[in-house]
Amino acid sequence: MEARVGAGFLKALERLDGDAGDVLERRLRDLLRLRVSHLNGCRHSIRLHAESLADAGTRPDLISALARPARQIRPGLVSDGEMAALRLAEVLTDAPRALEEEARAHAGEWFNATQLGAIVEVVATTNAWNRVMRGVE
């Protein structure tokens, strides 16, 4: 049976997603969205965010690398701060809670409290979208 999510819910999620992480650079938001979508196995979102990054001129090898854990991304493809943000996104999405403090502290070396909150916003809304899309695919 096909699942249908209410239009009001989708509009609310769109508004929330539009505001999520607005203090971060677009590239970082898109990197986070693609990595989280890979973790969640959301084909629709993977395609959407990979295309967005490609349209913005992101190198194809970086787009491909985001399918693997952040720690396996070749040095030089992302900045140290982007790496820390990607690792925090992984931990918030799919790792034991015990790793959150370490990942947040490391990301805190590159981002202020507002920016860390913005990373959490992007991860949370991407996780929500991924679950909605997987639920209706």
Side-chain angles (χ1 to χ4, degrees):
M1 174 180 277
E2 182 179 305
R4 291 189 192 163
V5 177
F9 176 81
L10 292 175
K11 286 184 186 282
L13 190 53
E14 284 175 1
R15 282 190 308 274
L16 181 63
D17 190 39
D19 292 337
D22 62 354
V23 300
L24 302 173
E25 293 179 10
R26 179 180 173 170
R27 170 187 156 98
L28 179 57
R29 290 192 314 264
D30 287 343
L31 294 174
L32 293 168
R33 287 177 173 133
L34 181 55
R35 181 67 195 122
V36 169
S37 296
H38 274 297
L39 287 167
N40 289 323
C42 182
R43 293 182 309 247
H44 171 80
S45 295
I46 290 168
R47 185 175 52 254
L48 177 78
H49 299 307
E51 288 173 2
S52 176
L53 282 165
D55 290 346
T58 303
R59 295 171 42 175
D61 53 342
L62 173 54
I63 293 170
S64 297
L66 291 168
R68 297 184 302 276
R71 291 184 174 166
Q72 293 179 8
I73 294 176
R74 184 170 35 101
L77 280 180
V78 295
S79 71
D80 291 340
E82 289 170 333
M83 179 64 72
L86 289 166
R87 181 67 182 132
L88 179 57
E90 290 173 345
V91 168
L92 292 174
T93 299
D94 193 37
R97 288 191 53 116
L99 298 176
E100 288 178 16
E101 187 174 328
E102 174 192 337
R104 193 172 22 258
H106 185 236
E109 295 174 18
W110 305 100
F111 301 97
N112 65 37
T114 301
Q115 292 167 321
L116 285 173
I119 291 169
V120 172
E121 293 169 9
V122 171
V123 171
T125 56
T126 304
N127 277 312
W129 272 118
N130 291 167
R131 279 151 181 80
V132 168
M133 295 311 298
R134 286 183 56 203
V136 299
E137 286 184 325

